């Protein structure tokens, strides 16, 4: 009888332990092309070393309406960078995989306001991520956007 109780106890422990149950925990699941929440931009997220980065690879409106010239980083606080093209600009930097489908300790640059924010990304499912930008290292002082995977 004791062997049966021990076997049942071990089985319950194994089934309730997250490390046994979570086979979908893939550090590279973030890699791919993602459509922004406003559906106006696509960012290619890639791995370099043990960090993750994202660069702008598609824009609904890549050129300035009046001139037809490619859009540039005109809101950048550094005047020397205001003429760099937005296309291929690295927006996400230094994300580190923390486990449980969360990448954090990175930054995201917003070319619309020229500001850089702390960033955390959570994989909600295979085709959507919750990207949170925040200030002063305090996640509750920020905004979340849902990006969807481009297939």
């Amino acid at each position: 009888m004791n062997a049966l109780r021990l076997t049942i106890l071990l089985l319950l422990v194994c089934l309730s332990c997250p490390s046994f149950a979570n086979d979908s925990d893939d550090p590279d699941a973030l890699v791919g092309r993602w459509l922004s929440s406003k559906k106006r931009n696509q960012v290619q997220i890639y791995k370099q070393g043990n960090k993750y980065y994202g660069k702008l690879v598609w824009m609904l409106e890549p050129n300035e309406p009046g001139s037809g010239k490619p859009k540039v980083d005109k809101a950048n606080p550094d005047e020397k960078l205001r003429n760099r093209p937005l296309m291929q600009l690295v927006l996400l930097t230094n994300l580190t995989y923390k486990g449980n489908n969360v990448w954090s300790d990175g930054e995201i640059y917003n070319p619309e306001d020229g500001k850089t924010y702390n960033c955390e990304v959570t994989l909600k499912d295979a085709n959507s991520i919750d990207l949170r930008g925040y200030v002063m290292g305090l996640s509750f002082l920020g905004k979340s956007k849902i990006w969807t995977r481009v297939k």
Side-chain angles (χ1 to χ4, degrees), residues 46-63:
Y46 58 95
K47 185 176 184 178
Q48 189 172 337
N50 63 345
K51 305 274 185 178
Y52 295 84
Y53 300 83
K55 66 180 173 180
L56 186 61
V57 294
W58 177 85
M59 298 170 65
L60 182 62
E61 297 172 351
N63 299 321

Side-chain angles (χ1 to χ4, degrees), residues 61-72 74:
E61 297 172 351
N63 299 321
E64 292 292 342
S67 67
K69 293 181 181 179
K71 288 186 177 178
V72 295
K74 62 185 174 189

